[in-house]
Amino acid sequence: MKAPRNQAEAPQAAPARVSRGRTVRTVGGLSVRVDVRAFTVVALLLVAALTASVVLIGTGDFPISPGDVVRTLLGDGNAGQEFIVNDLRLPRVLVGLLVGASLGLGGALFQAISRNPLGSPDVLGLGQGSTAGALVMIVLFSGTARQVTLGALIGGLVTGLAIYLLAWKRGVHGYRLVLVGIGVSAIVTAVNGYLITKADLVDATRAVVWMTGSLNGRDWEQVWPLLALWAVLVPLVLGNARALRMLEMGDDVAYALGVRVERTRLLLMVAAVLLTASATAAAGPVGFVALTAPQLARRLTRSPGPNLVPAMCMGATLLVVADWSSQRVFGADQLPVGVVTGILGGVYLLWLLVTERKAGRI
């Protein structure tokens, strides 16, 4: 084979991939690598969520302009506006933001742990488990709203523990976790149906309303527990984001890089279960946000890894926009937010399944 006579005739090397990240050095000498596109997506999602929140606060039987909403939030509104904004509508919007962000973060954790886009709390049955706990309190004990919330939280934790134990076999692996979750979901759904048939008319009506998933009537009593859990769980999850990213490369690689695989996986699964169960306890089983938010965030950022912060922001934006749509798009027949997210999420799930099948992954 004849060697090239000069540099121009030599085959050109493939161009190196240009990183979109930027290294930022802090005052203490630490360096942090920032993905510019992901940072931009997070900023835009935050702006969208806040804008939708302001519009949603001003929506209702007594409409308030966005400017008046902002002035009232800053303490410059009249007595009537302060009552409507701060006491009636702001808690509902805050619950929507926290629930959406919790579902987005919980879904991102489960999808990263299972390494499967279908590995979300909706598919694994955690929402159904929380529903079972709430139904037990409603149907068997005629519990108060606080007892129903506690029952939903316990139901989600018990279901998550059952899935983990049933999926354990020298560790917990992706497809086994998803398959066990689907089986547990089917069982718990049947139990929920049985509980509904045994309830009297009043309790059955109350249970069906709760099972739909709604932000109606939410107040500060639901906001504070969510904020308390967030203060503990979000720093814990973000502190383990690097280990989670290594887990996505496989257990052997993670072990080689010094990650305590099962300990990290169990810790993050407990955090994901608590996030999902607390969101379900606050607003009922709002479907498909945990499934769609992480995938939409990843498609926008085009970044590898779990995309935890973008998934949180996407979940909050989706739920607030869905709540606004349920109040405005359907006129007098306001739909619960769970119905809106269920419709949109069902369409997205069908599209995801078709895409995965064309790619040969299922």
Side-chain angles (χ1 to χ4, degrees), residues 114 116 118-120 123-124 173-183:
S114 64
N116 191 320
L118 297 179
S120 77
V123 178
L124 297 180
H173 300 284
Y175 278 101
R176 186 161 66 239
L177 181 68
V178 173
L179 292 175
V180 169
I182 291 173

Side-chain angles (χ1 to χ4, degrees), residues 195-266:
L195 290 172
I196 289 292
T197 61
K198 290 299 181 181
D200 58 37
L201 182 59
V202 175
D203 287 340
T205 303
R206 182 183 172 198
V208 170
V209 171
W210 188 90
M211 290 171 62
T212 305
S214 175
L215 296 175
N216 291 334
R218 298 307 184 262
D219 55 25
W220 291 105
E221 186 176 345
Q222 284 81 35
V223 173
W224 300 122
L226 284 172
L227 282 176
L229 275 173
W230 255 59
V232 176
L233 295 177
V234 173
L236 177 66
V237 170
L238 296 182
N240 286 274
R242 181 173 178 271
L244 178 62
R245 187 164 184 172
M246 293 178 184
L247 282 177
E248 287 191 311
M249 297 186 289
D251 289 359
D252 293 337
V253 175
Y255 272 123
L257 294 173
V259 177
R260 300 174 66 178
V261 172
E262 286 306 325
R263 178 183 176 276
T264 302
R265 183 181 285 126
L266 177 60

Side-chain angles (χ1 to χ4, degrees), residues 134-143 195 198-199 203:
L135 288 179
V136 167
M137 290 297 180
I138 293 174
V139 174
L140 301 184
F141 301 104
S142 298
L195 290 172
K198 290 299 181 181
D203 287 340

Side-chain angles (χ1 to χ4, degrees), residues 61 326-335:
D61 294 333
S326 70
Q327 295 186 51
R328 302 299 298 171
V329 175
F330 299 95
D333 299 325
Q334 293 185 12
L335 293 179

Side-chain angles (χ1 to χ4, degrees), residues 14-68:
R17 183 179 178 182
V18 178
S19 174
R20 295 171 299 146
R22 177 173 297 175
T23 301
V24 178
R25 294 191 179 278
T26 63
V27 177
L30 298 176
S31 61
V32 179
R33 192 162 187 81
V34 178
D35 188 323
V36 177
R37 183 184 177 93
F39 182 83
T40 304
V41 169
V42 168
L44 292 175
L45 287 175
L46 286 175
V47 171
L50 292 176
T51 302
S53 298
V54 170
V55 174
L56 182 58
I57 291 174
T59 301
D61 294 333
F62 186 83
I64 304 175
S65 67
D68 289 337

Side-chain angles (χ1 to χ4, degrees), residues 24 29 36 65 75 82-83 88 99 121 166 182 191 202 251 261 269 278 298 307 315 321:
V24 178
V36 177
S65 67
E82 288 184 357
F83 173 73
L88 296 181
V99 167
L166 291 172
I182 291 173
V191 171
V202 175
D251 289 359
V261 172
M269 282 190 65
S278 62
R298 179 172 293 189
N307 286 274
V321 171

